[in-house]
Amino acid sequence: MDIGTAAFWLALSQIIVADLLLAGDNAVVIALAVRSLPAAQQKKAIIFGTVAAVAMRVSLTIVAAQLLTLPYLKLVGAALLVYVAVGLVLPDDDDPEGSLPGATGPTGSMAAAIRTILIADLVMSLDNVIAVAAASRGDTFLLVAGLLISIPLVVYGSTLLLKVVERYPLIVWGGAALLGYVAGDIAVHDPAIEAWATAQAAALDVSIANLGRLVGLLGAALVVGLAWMLLRRRKIAAL
């Protein structure tokens, strides 16, 4: 596609908008994942994690149409996202008596933080890559350009949110609940249960989109409930 045409700039704008819609979730995951790192490593982890996630998303977008037809992929992804969300709430193992979830000391691993970012981004990107792939119209340069533009936006958002989380650690619970909500919504749209989910939506007299939101709320409650139970168990075991 010619860079001087209106179609090029329209497509680029559509890709950037699609990336921005995902950037909020990315910022939450990144901020929670790096919060336990030493201050000197946090910025590096944010940049490395964001760049690696964007590179992975480029690869995903190229094969998006084939990936999203695979049964059980979204169900597995949703389970992984719940696991990641619960893990982000819990204090580090060497601080089982952390007074507040998220208020842990600088003992985390940069590799572990980046791995968490990649897993969460992989799951949350499953639906968004379709929009990006459609907007790019098969133009790889356009696809990469749009994703590269999103990098500084995600880095800035993550850095800003990290400061808020450090000041108000209880926000970690809200971030984990958001990931649980995303997991529930993703699970409903898996091809393996599409017919069943459609039937349930019809029985409840709601659209499939609203059913996804309902299951998303249940996912958020599941994450918070599991994290609370595990946190209580750790505190009891530490007595």
Side-chain angles (χ1 to χ4, degrees):
M1 192 180 299
D2 189 349
I3 194 172
T5 64
F8 174 89
W9 293 104
L10 176 61
L12 181 60
S13 299
Q14 291 173 338
I15 292 173
I16 293 173
V17 169
D19 290 333
L20 285 176
L21 292 177
L22 185 62
D25 291 341
N26 285 135
V28 171
V29 171
I30 294 171
L32 298 188
V34 307
R35 76 187 191 281
S36 61
L37 293 176
Q41 294 184 8
Q42 287 178 346
K43 187 68 174 180
K44 292 180 180 178
I46 288 174
I47 294 174
F48 292 159
T50 301
V51 172
V54 168
M56 180 182 65
R57 210 178 308 162
V58 170
S59 303
L60 270 179
T61 305
I62 295 173
V63 294
Q66 291 77 18
L67 275 178
L68 294 183
T69 61
L70 295 176
Y72 305 108
L73 178 63
K74 291 184 179 181
L75 289 174
V76 172
L80 274 174
L81 199 54
V82 167
Y83 175 80
V84 167
V86 172
L88 288 173
V89 172
L90 298 177
D92 292 332
D93 290 336
D94 55 354
D95 183 25
E97 299 183 39
S99 57
L100 286 173
T104 59
T107 58
S109 159
M110 182 183 294
I114 293 175
R115 184 172 61 249
T116 297
I117 293 168
L118 288 177
I119 292 173
D121 190 85
L122 170 64
V123 176
M124 294 188 298
S125 297
L126 288 176
D127 284 331
N128 296 75
V129 292
I130 283 293
V132 174
S136 68
R137 295 173 174 85
D139 190 317
T140 304
F141 172 76
L142 196 57
L143 166 65
V144 174
L147 288 168
L148 288 177
I149 290 172
S150 72
I151 290 178
L153 298 174
V154 175
V155 169
Y156 175 77
S158 305
T159 304
L160 184 63
L161 186 58
L162 176 60
K163 293 179 180 178
V164 177
V165 169
E166 288 174 344
R167 185 168 184 179
Y168 305 104
L170 282 175
I171 292 178
V172 172
W173 286 95
L178 173 62
L179 298 184
Y181 177 89
V182 173
D185 189 42
I186 287 174
V188 168
H189 296 91
D190 190 285
I193 62 169
E194 184 176 10
W196 178 84
T198 301
Q200 300 309 307
L204 294 172
D205 195 24
V206 298
S207 67
I208 192 68
N210 284 333
L211 179 63
R213 296 185 184 100
L214 176 61
V215 177
L217 292 174
L218 293 176
L222 174 64
V223 166
V224 172
L226 282 175
W228 181 263
M229 180 182 69
L230 291 172
L231 188 63
R232 293 280 296 177
R233 183 175 297 178
R234 282 190 181 190
K235 288 185 176 180
I236 292 173
L239 293 178

